[in-house]
Amino acid sequence: MYRERASRIPGAVVWARTLEPGAVAPVLPDGCMDLLWRDGELLVAGPDTRAYVPDAATGPRYAGVRFAPGAGPAALGVPAHELRDRRVPLAALWPGAEVRRAAERIGQAPDPAAALEALALARAGEPDPLMRAVAARLAEGRPVAETAAAVGLGARQLHRRSLDAFGYGPKTLARVLRLQRALALVWRGVPYAEAALAAGCADQAHLAREMRALTGTTLSGYARAAKSATPTPSGSWSVA
């Protein structure tokens, strides 16, 4: 069972999920970072450049705070590129004693997701407004060069600041967000070719190549899985 709601942290989503035995499926790249609670353990999921498949042996109860692209570093205190394609214990980033107390408090709470959100809210800083503008423009499908000019950054400056904010360069973020736009349409039943053009791909073949490159699966595979599961807002249907 999966449920979610908007967080009190601007742009973030609070979610919770209980997995049935064997209910493990890939988490697709979405440009986001998550603060996770997993049956008593606190973790951080960094930004992905490829699909991530959770260990089937992990616990069944999860809660998470999914930060908007570029907002995770301000809350977690670490540049996003240091966590790219990684899941790390929160104790590797924050003082261990503080993390142990927080994990115990969240585990005893009637609503672990709400308690996790409170922890994130207490730490949440103000994201870089320039990078927030970059993410918003790329999410709309604006070209990277146009985005750089609009925010007043050179190509190298934009790339360097994007590594810290998003975990990868603006071109990769643009690809990830374009794929997410397309998958949101596919999940709603829009034909592949129409979804590809609406999302900003050249054609259906372009979208299919991006799907394979970023997720390791196919559009038809995603569509089949989406029919039998509840995807998250980021187009995946499992835990982070």
Side-chain angles (χ1 to χ4, degrees):
M1 180 181 67
Y2 176 86
R3 65 182 187 277
E4 68 173 39
R5 62 173 173 79
S7 173
R8 289 177 289 165
I9 301 170
V13 172
V14 179
W15 57 269
R17 183 152 196 175
T18 302
L19 290 179
E20 297 297 328
V24 174
V27 178
L28 307 187
D30 58 8
C32 300
M33 299 172 67
D34 286 58
L35 176 62
L36 305 171
W37 175 84
R38 182 178 66 193
D39 265 347
E41 183 182 13
L42 285 167
L43 306 164
V44 174
D48 292 322
T49 60
R50 57 184 181 271
Y52 170 78
V53 180
D55 185 347
T58 58
R61 292 195 304 155
Y62 289 79
V65 176
R66 179 175 298 111
F67 299 100
L76 300 169
V78 62
H81 67 84
E82 293 187 10
L83 301 179
R84 183 173 55 234
D85 292 319
R86 298 176 63 198
R87 271 63 180 163
V88 301
L90 184 60
L93 308 177
W94 295 3
E98 177 185 348
V99 172
R100 286 192 296 273
R101 289 193 298 269
E104 182 177 353
R105 183 169 65 251
I106 292 168
Q108 295 174 347
D111 183 352
L116 183 67
E117 180 189 24
L119 174 65
L121 192 62
R123 283 277 193 153
E126 184 64 29
D128 184 336
L130 208 60
M131 291 297 98
R132 188 167 52 196
V134 167
R137 294 183 68 87
L138 295 180
E140 294 172 355
R142 304 291 183 89
V144 171
E146 177 188 311
T147 296
V151 299
L153 292 177
R156 291 185 179 180
Q157 288 177 308
L158 177 60
H159 186 81
R160 183 175 64 252
R161 293 180 66 163
S162 292
L163 290 178
D164 286 344
F166 310 122
Y168 27 67
K171 291 184 179 179
T172 298
L173 179 63
R175 291 176 63 203
V176 167
L177 296 179
R178 181 177 60 197
L179 179 64
Q180 287 298 328
R181 293 195 298 273
L183 292 183
L185 294 170
V186 169
W187 181 64
R188 295 203 294 267
V190 174
Y192 300 154
E194 185 178 337
L197 293 176
C201 293
D203 51 27
Q204 181 178 333
H206 182 195
L207 174 58
R209 290 193 299 271
E210 289 291 87
M211 185 72 178
R212 177 68 73 178
L214 291 170
T215 74
T217 188
T218 62
L219 289 168
S220 57
Y222 171 81
R224 285 194 301 272
K227 289 179 181 178
S228 60
T230 303
T232 72
S234 60
S236 59
W237 50 89
S238 185
V239 296

